[in-house]
Amino acid sequence: MSCSEFSLIEKYFSRQAISRSDVLLGIGDDAAVMRLGLDEQLVVSTDTMVAGVHFPEATSPFDIGYKLMAVNLSDLAAMGAQPRWASLALTLPESNDDWLAQFAAGLFELAKQYSVQLVGGDTTRGPLTLTLTLQGTVASDQYLQRNTAQPGDAIVVSGQLGDAGLALRQLLAKDNIHAEGLARLNRPTPRVVLGQSLLGTATAVIDISDGLIADLGHILDASKLGAQIQLADLPLSETVKLTTKDGDWSLPLNAGDDYELCFTLPEAQLARLDQQDCLLTKIGRVVEKKGIECITPAGGLFTPQKAGYNHFSSALQAESLS
Ligand code: ADP
Ligand code: MG
């Protein structure tokens, strides 16, 4: 490693607000060493973000750092895990002080909120690509899975759907951007506390990164079941609701980037969800018949697109190539 790479790590990543007592050896050696309790299980997740594919090239470095941490926290939330340690693989076209300072500030803002310590990583030169590996723990055998939904379960989602997708559409169309949507796109709220509270209550959990239909579809495929969704019950902001007026449900159903949790649980357990700090909405139920059936507010049947919203990657790639 060159001297400048070393000073880059020292300057931007070694000093952190969080210093966990379970980190025996952090940044600076060949690998990190952390202490695990006997009754704990390790939960590990990795997510990569590529400029122009996972975020528009013009995204601020603060937001890139924030979102990188948020999307990984969201994966751990969907497992019911307590996040603890992170490692960062950074590929940069150049070493730019302003960029690095802001990126680190965004990353560490969420890291601090969830007591996550960065314990290592790698730094290379190339097209802007960011990979975060996040490690967390769950007690004994208490993790949440996708393949365990049961017929008759209620289907619940956190927060509201489609705002991030709307902001992305507007961004790509160079339209006026709905500010709340842009905040949802760039700084999603990982539902870490909710995820942990679902241990022992939810039968199956997933985080919605590729759109409700695609991600709920993963739960249903893995559980070999189907679902009936009431479109009138979808939790939507006024702005997203307007886009559905003429029967276009693509934003709440297929746009990605919501990073809300979608989970199933027995109807009788719904009352246990009352004490949450985020909006939770029952949107439908799990049925034996495979596939996802959507009921419109007028009572008709609506067939959703199967795939997640892919406008993002294709449009951005086309843009970045031009
Ligand atoms: P090695 O050559 O032994 O793999 P490196 O030179 O890649 O080590 O890294 C030196 C130290 O800095 C290691 O502890 C590594 O985990 C850490 N590190 C490198 N890049 C980053 C980064 N982007 N963020 C955090 N820690 C990093
Ligand atoms: Mg290395």
Side-chain angles (χ1 to χ4, degrees):
M1 172 172 78
S2 77
C3 206
S4 67
E5 281 169 31
F6 182 75
S7 59
L8 177 161
I9 295 162
E10 179 63 29
K11 197 165 169 192
Y12 297 108
F13 300 111
S14 294
R15 271 167 260 144
Q16 303 170 46
I18 296 298
S19 169
R20 296 183 59 98
S21 60
D22 51 21
V23 176
L24 305 175
L25 213 48
I27 292 174
D29 215 301
D30 293 308
V33 182
M34 285 83 76
R35 189 192 302 112
L36 270 175
L38 284 178
D39 55 351
E40 290 172 341
Q41 292 172 116
L42 196 57
V43 180
V44 182
S45 162
T46 298
D47 253 312
T48 292
M49 296 187 359
V50 180
V53 178
H54 298 94
F55 56 87
E57 306 268 3
T59 308
S60 81
F62 185 98
D63 288 342
I64 295 170
Y66 192 103
K67 188 162 182 176
L68 183 66
M69 184 59 78
V71 301
N72 277 278
L73 284 166
S74 178
D75 279 325
L76 285 205
M79 302 304 292
Q82 168 86 47
R84 289 164 74 167
W85 313 294
S87 51
L88 171 68
L90 203 54
T91 301
L92 303 169
E94 55 175 351
S95 164
N96 176 315
D97 277 292
D98 271 356
W99 194 95
L100 280 161
Q102 284 189 55
F103 169 79
L107 187 81
F108 287 142
E109 175 151 321
L110 266 185
K112 186 176 166 193
Q113 209 172 311
Y114 292 99
S115 294
V116 170
Q117 184 175 342
L118 185 66
V119 294
D122 200 19
T123 307
T124 52
R125 183 188 281 252
L128 182 59
T129 306
L130 312 118
T131 299
L132 194 78
T133 296
L134 195 58
Q135 300 186 317
T137 50
V138 285
S140 58
D141 281 322
Q142 282 208 305
Y143 47 89
L144 301 165
Q145 288 176 257
R146 293 182 181 183
N147 59 353
T148 36
Q150 301 298 317
D153 279 353
I155 300 170
V156 176
V157 293
S158 64
Q160 293 182 318
L161 302 176
D163 291 287
L166 177 58
L168 182 62
R169 258 187 209 180
Q170 293 167 331
L171 208 68
L172 293 174
K174 301 190 164 59
D175 271 355
N176 284 339
I177 297 168
H178 148 59
E180 274 167 47
L182 190 63
R184 302 290 307 148
L185 177 67
N186 287 334
R187 302 192 194 172
T189 309
R191 303 297 184 186
V192 175
V193 176
L194 171 63
Q196 288 174 35
S197 76
L198 294 177
L199 290 165
T201 303
T203 48
V205 185
I206 196 165
D207 72 318
I208 308 176
S209 52
D210 295 330
L212 176 69
I213 295 298
D215 289 314
L216 172 61
H218 292 314
I219 288 187
L220 298 170
D221 289 347
S223 304
K224 301 188 172 61
L225 293 166
Q228 192 179 69
I229 301 295
Q230 299 292 337
L231 295 177
D233 293 342
L234 292 178
L236 307 180
S237 65
E238 288 306 316
T239 328
V240 170
K241 199 174 281 173
L242 276 178
T243 72
T244 68
K245 279 277 182 287
D246 298 324
D248 175 5
W249 294 90
S250 60
L251 275 179
L253 295 184
N254 304 107
D257 283 299
D258 288 315
Y259 296 101
E260 296 296 345
L261 293 185
C262 172
F263 55 95
T264 58
L265 78 177
E267 289 274 345
Q269 301 274 2
L270 279 172
R272 291 182 60 177
L273 298 175
D274 281 350
Q275 301 297 317
Q276 293 300 330
D277 62 350
C278 62
L279 177 69
L280 294 178
T281 311
K282 179 188 163 191
I283 59 166
R285 61 191 182 91
V286 178
V287 298
E288 299 267 9
K289 189 181 164 214
K290 300 237 179 87
I292 301 179
E293 195 175 272
C294 293
I295 312 294
T296 67
L301 264 185
F302 175 84
T303 309
Q305 279 172 257
K306 182 97 172 93
Y309 186 58
N310 60 15
H311 184 154
F312 189 18
S313 56
S314 52
L316 278 175
Q317 269 164 349
E319 238 186 19
S320 62
L321 289 174
S322 63

